[in-house]
Amino acid sequence: MTYRLGVHTTADDPTKYRAEEEVRMWEQKDPLTRFRIYLEKRDLLEAGLEQQVDDEIAEAVRRFEAAPPADPLTMFDHAYAVPPPGLVAQREEMVAREHAAPAPAPPPPPADATPMRGQRRTRR
Amino acid sequence: MAKLNMVKALNLALLEEMERDNDVLVLGEDVGVDGGVFRVTDDLQRKFGSQRVIDSPLAEAAIIGTAVGMALYGLKPVCEIQFSGFAFQCFHQIENHCARYRMRSQSRFHIPMVIRMPYGGGVRALEHHSESEEQFYAHIPGLKMVIPSSPRTARGLLAAAIRDPDPVIFFEAKALYHAAKEEVPDESEALPIGRAQIAREGDALTLIAYGAMLRVALEAADILKIEDGAHVEVIDLLTISPLDRDALVTSVKKTGRAVVVHEAPRSFGPGAEIAASIMDGAFLSLEAPIRRVTAHDVPFPGFAREKANVPDLPRVVAAVRETLAF
């Protein structure tokens, strides 16, 4: 049994279909929260560990966002071991389109991304 | 050369591939002790044991799901679904997993497996035992969709399907299982997937068929030659997807006319893709609209009316004559 504490998607507003008390009840059972309490009680939580984990996650996000846009042509590489002639022709059509009018660059991500609506930050 | 019917030819291909490659295994309902509902896997469990010829529970989703896992770990499962009409229980495993692992994993994983299913009418069976659903599988990227028309093509294409690195849906026409015997070479042979064959050369019109409909198309060509003096070229598609567009276009550039025959319902069936491909490649050669002779757009009506639903000789001959006269 699992319970989703956060939103399902950016378009989801769980406050519409579930009661705040229900969510609070499940928050009490969140294994991450409980595990931290357990570690704190036994004095096992290393100072600075949580900050270190947060930094690692932030770094991973930075790396992901700095990655160049995916090359759309690679979609043709992973449908079959050897793409059949019809698929090769579709790839060539895409190459011709890209060559004629290069795709506009995607907008840069916002500098300070806010959490998704309804998203909960882990309670500290 | 041995003369075999299609059941024996398929059995021979399985035997040869299992002897050639220890990773090839068979699983499905009653494929072991019983040798399969149509006896295609006859005697294989005795030869290769119950670890390589596995009797599954009556659970199509479990058969395909298990086989996808086996394929991810390097085995080459050949699954039998007793009738193609039962496969909707495992359609999720086929579409959502089997067809997608190569893309999902960016080619780190692939699924070398075959799913054999008897399909089609002509055996006076009850509901879910006579339908022709190749269009569903042909439409799914990542799959290949193969339908042999004779003992030799069945044996050669099943060997190729088992050796293929990607998942292959392999339809076997029930009406052909015991219909005719054909000489098959002594040596194992693999026929290329994605390649149609010219079953009869001609210059008046291109008649395209596959599976059990090939025989109807050839008989129609005989009649048209004798009665009309028209030399019809008959193309045996053999692979539905990927479609051999070159073969179709080359033939229609020569003949200028085309008729497609299939057992699946007409709308959104393989005939539509075939007609569109001919329009793309041979538009200026066409002298007449491309006709389709197919089952009707009704749920398969049961054996009392199946002859009126599945294309037969008079319907094919009439469609060809109309197209020739256009």
Side-chain angles (χ1 to χ4, degrees):
Chain A
M1 171 81 180
T2 60
Y3 188 88
R4 166 171 56 74
L5 287 170
V7 292
H8 182 58
T9 68
T10 51
D12 181 34
D13 178 5
T15 63
K16 278 183 164 174
Y17 54 79
R18 65 184 184 189
E20 194 60 26
E21 303 87 68
E22 177 190 303
V23 181
R24 271 202 296 275
M25 190 263 287
W26 281 103
E27 273 180 343
Q28 306 292 314
K29 301 182 181 183
D30 183 347
L32 291 175
T33 310
R34 289 169 61 200
F35 190 53
R36 183 193 303 103
I37 293 167
Y38 172 83
L39 293 174
E40 280 168 347
K41 272 190 182 159
R42 293 179 178 242
D43 204 23
L44 291 169
L45 193 58
E46 257 177 66
L49 179 64
E50 286 189 285
Q51 187 57 50
Q52 189 191 321
V53 170
D54 281 350
D55 290 347
E56 276 177 33
I57 293 170
E59 175 53 26
V61 171
R62 261 194 301 280
R63 267 207 320 274
F64 174 79
E65 289 182 340
D71 177 359
L73 287 173
T74 59
M75 76 173 77
F76 297 104
D77 299 341
H78 305 296
Y80 296 94
V82 179
L87 192 56
V88 172
Q90 290 175 27
R91 186 184 189 281
E92 283 164 5
E93 284 172 22
M94 183 184 278
V95 171
R97 282 198 303 275
E98 299 279 310
H99 189 70
D112 184 24
T114 50
M116 292 184 282
R117 188 164 65 121
Q119 186 178 358
R120 289 156 195 277
R121 290 194 183 277
T122 310
R123 284 192 308 140
R124 288 281 160 82
Chain B
M1 283 225 188
K3 254 191 143 182
L4 303 177
N5 68 22
M6 202 164 100
V7 169
K8 300 276 188 205
L10 289 162
N11 183 266
L12 177 63
L14 288 169
L15 175 74
E16 288 170 334
E17 292 308 301
M18 292 182 79
E19 280 176 343
R20 187 187 58 78
D21 184 345
N22 284 332
D23 289 335
V24 176
L25 58 95
V26 165
L27 73 162
E29 296 163 10
D30 291 333
V31 295
V33 177
D34 196 37
V37 64
F38 289 102
R39 303 292 175 269
V40 171
T41 57
D42 199 29
D43 216 27
L44 294 177
Q45 194 181 63
R46 195 183 60 76
K47 289 187 175 116
F48 297 102
S50 57
Q51 297 286 306
R52 287 184 70 196
V53 181
I54 302 166
D55 273 322
S56 76
L58 300 189
E60 286 77 13
I63 295 170
I64 305 304
T66 303
V68 168
M70 288 171 164
L72 284 172
Y73 280 85
L75 297 174
K76 292 161 188 167
V78 182
C79 307
E80 176 173 305
I81 300 296
Q82 281 196 336
F83 289 87
S84 63
F86 304 169
F88 300 98
Q89 292 286 350
C90 55
F91 203 77
H92 167 82
Q93 289 295 335
I94 296 173
E95 204 281 345
N96 282 216
H97 300 297
C98 182
R100 290 169 182 253
Y101 257 105
R102 186 179 283 281
M103 179 65 82
R104 182 181 287 158
S105 70
Q106 300 285 285
S107 295
R108 281 184 61 225
F109 294 99
H110 64 110
I111 306 288
M113 69 183 261
V114 178
I115 307 175
R116 296 181 34 248
M117 307 189 212
Y119 87 100
V123 293
R124 294 182 62 75
L126 61 165
E127 198 185 13
H128 309 307
H129 293 69
S130 302
E131 292 79 358
S132 193
E133 310 100 336
E134 59 273 22
Q135 63 282 6
F136 295 131
Y137 305 99
H139 193 65
I140 298 174
L143 297 182
K144 296 177 181 179
M145 198 318 114
V146 170
I147 308 185
S149 58
S150 66
R152 184 170 178 178
T153 56
R155 186 239 202 159
L157 285 166
L158 184 54
I162 293 169
R163 295 175 199 181
D164 200 284
D166 290 312
V168 178
I169 310 295
F170 193 89
F171 267 21
E172 300 163 5
K174 289 183 287 291
L176 296 182
Y177 271 147
H178 302 104
K181 288 186 177 178
E182 186 182 25
E183 302 241 327
V184 303
D186 291 332
E187 291 298 306
S188 166
E189 92 177 325
L191 295 172
I193 291 175
R195 198 87 52 81
Q197 286 181 2
I198 296 176
R200 174 88 44 96
E201 285 204 37
D203 55 12
L205 178 144
T206 303
L207 187 55
I208 301 142
Y210 52 88
M213 289 295 110
L214 180 72
R215 197 170 43 160
V216 180
L218 287 171
E219 285 170 12
D222 285 341
I223 287 176
L224 289 152
K225 187 176 160 191
I226 295 163
E227 297 184 5
D228 302 44
H231 295 266
V232 168
E233 179 144 297
V234 179
I235 291 189
D236 182 3
L237 214 48
L238 296 172
T239 301
I240 312 307
S241 173
L243 186 62
D244 188 352
R245 293 181 172 83
D246 281 351
L248 302 173
V249 165
T250 303
S251 177
V252 175
K253 278 185 175 169
K254 177 173 69 174
T255 63
R257 291 175 163 85
V259 172
V260 192
V261 187
H262 60 64
E263 280 184 69
R266 180 169 312 165
S267 296
F268 308 98
E273 181 60 33
I274 290 166
S277 299
I278 293 170
M279 293 282 283
D280 269 348
F283 179 69
L284 293 176
S285 304
L286 280 170
E287 307 278 352
I290 300 163
R291 288 285 300 268
R292 289 172 286 168
V293 186
T294 67
H296 305 105
D297 291 342
V298 297
F300 201 86
F303 60 80
R305 295 175 186 81
E306 78 173 329
K307 280 192 173 166
N309 191 36
V310 173
D312 59 7
L313 194 53
R315 275 171 68 194
V316 175
V317 169
V320 170
R321 282 187 176 139
E322 284 168 29
T323 307
L324 286 171
F326 184 85

